Amino acid sequence: AETDETLPEEQVDPNWETTQPPSARRYHSIAYDAESQKLVMVGGQSKSTGDLTTLGRDNTWAYDIKQNAWAWMNPPLEPPKIYGSQLSYDTESDRVIFYGGVYGLGFEAEGIGDTWAYDYNSNTWEEKSEGPLRRYGARIVYDSESDVMIIFGGSNWGFSSAGNDVGNTLNETWVFDFNKDDWINVQPDTSPSGRWYQPMAYDS
């Protein structure tokens, strides 16, 4: 059975004794917080895809590898209920960066350009400057040498407000600087063709 994430307060245990793992989901994203040595997960799509009020997940979870245990973090504020978003860890700022995603289904779907930063130590999310709009399935990685997030690709499939752009896969490259709270479309001379949910990694 699918888990309801509105856990009673007594089940949120700082000693990592949680009574249940996260609910089943897809199109979520996970990043490793190296300073805290935890995997952080937020968002995703529930199995109950017919109900838009429960379709997206807005809960934040952390996984302790050594203890093999999940904890529901239950921060006071977090990103909206969306799926198809991306997470990556900024080592210089010690923040997990959240970008993008979609709310809704099919031609009623709405792409979101939200950017948030999560501090595990204080268990707080902070909303940052809005990124490129109307896309999901873009990939994000942290470039440690340049201290920026690099975002590539994504799709605006199903966004009815796009007119003749509906169904496009995108080949834009964007850079997000956490310290400046700034997004830039870097427009390289040569780029891969448009795609979404592709693998992407940083070669240090």
Side-chain angles (χ1 to χ4, degrees):
E2 187 170 348
T3 304
D4 183 356
E5 245 98 52
T6 55
L7 301 179
E9 191 66 31
E10 62 269 20
Q11 294 184 13
V12 182
D13 192 317
N15 296 318
W16 289 86
E17 295 177 3
T18 184
T19 60
Q20 54 190 345
S23 63
R25 65 192 67 201
R26 59 184 179 177
Y27 303 130
H28 55 287
S29 188
I30 294 178
Y32 179 63
D33 182 328
E35 190 274 335
S36 301
Q37 298 184 343
K38 301 290 190 296
L39 288 165
V40 176
M41 181 183 77
V42 67
Q45 185 187 80
S46 73
K47 294 187 296 183
S48 303
T49 55
D51 183 356
L52 296 185
T53 63
T54 61
L55 177 65
R57 294 299 191 188
D58 65 346
N59 41 74
T60 303
W61 288 77
Y63 179 70
D64 187 309
I65 298 172
K66 293 180 180 179
Q67 298 190 42
N68 188 26
W70 284 96
W72 179 43
M73 301 307 293
N74 194 25
L77 180 69
E78 53 194 348
K81 292 185 176 182
I82 63 177
Y83 59 94
S85 56
Q86 290 295 301
L87 295 179
S88 191
Y89 177 63
D90 183 329
T91 56
E92 191 274 334
S93 301
D94 186 28
R95 297 290 189 277
V96 172
I97 304 299
F98 168 106
Y99 162 70
V102 64
Y103 174 80
L105 289 172
F107 288 100
E108 300 301 320
E110 177 185 353
I112 297 173
D114 282 20
T115 308
W116 294 70
Y118 180 67
D119 182 346
Y120 174 85
N121 296 317
S122 63
N123 189 29
T124 56
W125 284 97
E126 177 187 10
E127 189 168 9
K128 310 300 288 184
S129 294
E130 192 171 55
L133 300 176
R134 293 181 46 255
R135 71 190 64 199
Y136 66 113
R139 289 308 196 202
I140 177 172
V141 296
Y142 177 63
D143 180 335
S144 57
E145 193 275 335
S146 301
D147 186 29
V148 295
M149 292 288 168
I150 297 178
I151 289 86
F152 179 79
S155 173
N156 59 16
W157 179 85
F159 299 151
S160 57
S161 62
N164 58 10
D165 289 333
V166 171
N168 281 353
T169 51
L170 307 170
N171 74 334
E172 296 175 351
T173 304
W174 288 75
V175 167
F176 174 68
D177 187 319
F178 172 82
N179 296 315
K180 297 179 180 178
D181 192 17
D182 185 41
W183 282 91
I184 298 175
N185 185 351
V186 294
Q187 299 180 316
D189 293 335
T190 303
S191 295
S193 59
R195 61 198 69 198
W196 56 334
Y197 292 120
Q198 75 280 359
M200 198 160 79
Y202 176 65
D203 183 344
S204 58

